[in-house]
Every structure is written in structure tokens, then in C-alpha cells.
Amino acid sequence: GATQGRWSAASDWYKRRELEDNLDDGRHHPRPHAGLWLDFGAGLGADPRTVTTAPAHPAATRLVETISRLTATDAGSGLSALYAYESQQPEVSSQKADGLREHYGVTAPEALAYFALHAEMDLEHRQKERNALARSLDAGASPEAIAHAVDQTLEAYWGLLDGVCDEAGIAG
């Protein structure tokens, strides 16, 4: 996708390796994460074909576009965007799984696998991303540019969460 070309262009071998490993994890480990998401949908009774053909929510589109734009800017901005998003995922995923079990009776391991995986895998990802960001700063990357990329990503991510609440009729 949009991130793959930027990762291969990263000048620092450590950043490049971490970014490519992260991309590889999403595509293959333990299997494509999109498939794990479809398993979650199936656990809620959604037909996978309906899920894959449904139009994306505008807030989800904005998040994807923001991260794609930042990864196309430079490796530091892309890494910052990835870190801003993924650094929250272990706790968010764990809380989502707990809420699905407690409030919706979702208990099938296949339906919760996406969240269980991200509750664990993203602990490692965020540490590696944090290390790569530190290397970027040590190499002279602009702290302001990194902070700006993080701010843009968080604004889009929170917009996604607001969109979910709006869609579900939950007052913010």
C-alpha cells in the first residue's frame, strides 16, 4: 500500500526494518489482520461479503487518508503517525475485548482474536516505534514535525472514535 514504498525509502536501516516488520505483521502474522477483523464481524453475525463491500465510514476514510498522507511525506512523519495510532492499541484492544464480552456476550475466541492479538503485538510495535522515533530525533529530525504528525493522526483517530459514537447514537 501507500506505506510500503515509504518504508523501503527510509534511510536508517533500523527504522526501515521496524516499519517493514510492522507492515509484514499486519499482512501475515498470525494471518492477515483484515481476516481477523472479518472473523470479529462474523462473531457478531455480519456476513463477510457485506462487511468487505460496505462503504467506509467518512471518519475511517479520514484516518486512512491522514496516515497515508503522512507516510508519503517522509519516514519520520509516517513513523510518527504509526506510533500515535499503535501506541494506544494494546489498552484500547484489551478494553474493547472486555466490553464485547461483558456487554454483548461475545466470547468466541475467533471473534475476539483481532483484539487479543493487538493487545499483545502492539506492545512490541509501540516500543520499536518509540525506539525508531528516538533514533530519528538523535539523527536531527525536527521535534516539531514529529509532534505535528502525531497531532494530525490523533485528531483523525479521535474523529474516528467520535464517528463510531455518532453512528451508534452514543452522546459524547
Side-chain angles (χ1 to χ4, degrees), residues 3 6 10 13 46 56 61 71-72 75 77 82 86 96 98 100 104 108 113-114 117 133 139-141 149:
T3 58
R6 179 56 55 195
W13 67 268
T61 300
T71 59
S77 294
L82 188 61
E86 282 198 324
K96 284 180 182 177
D98 289 347
L100 287 164
Y104 298 96
Y114 177 89
L117 175 69
L133 277 171

Side-chain angles (χ1 to χ4, degrees), residues 15-32:
K15 284 191 289 187
R16 184 173 52 250
R17 187 187 75 215
E18 294 311 326
L19 295 168
E20 289 174 348
D21 286 352
N22 186 298
L23 183 61
D24 185 62
D25 280 346
R27 291 180 173 168
H28 305 291
H29 300 289
R31 64 188 189 87

Side-chain angles (χ1 to χ4, degrees), residues 35-114:
L36 295 172
W37 186 255
L38 291 175
D39 290 346
F40 162 62
L44 297 177
D47 175 62
R49 192 175 3 225
T50 302
V51 172
T52 58
T53 59
H57 190 283
T61 300
R62 278 191 296 280
L63 176 60
V64 171
E65 288 173 350
T66 297
I67 292 173
S68 294
R69 178 178 43 78
L70 291 167
T71 59
T73 301
D74 59 59
S77 294
L79 178 61
S80 299
L82 188 61
Y83 177 73
Y85 178 79
E86 282 198 324
S87 66
Q88 302 176 73
Q89 292 314 301
E91 293 78 14
V92 168
S93 293
S94 181
Q95 291 173 3
K96 284 180 182 177
D98 289 347
L100 287 164
R101 280 189 287 272
E102 182 179 334
H103 300 292
Y104 298 96
V106 177
T107 57
E110 326 62 69
L112 298 172
Y114 177 89

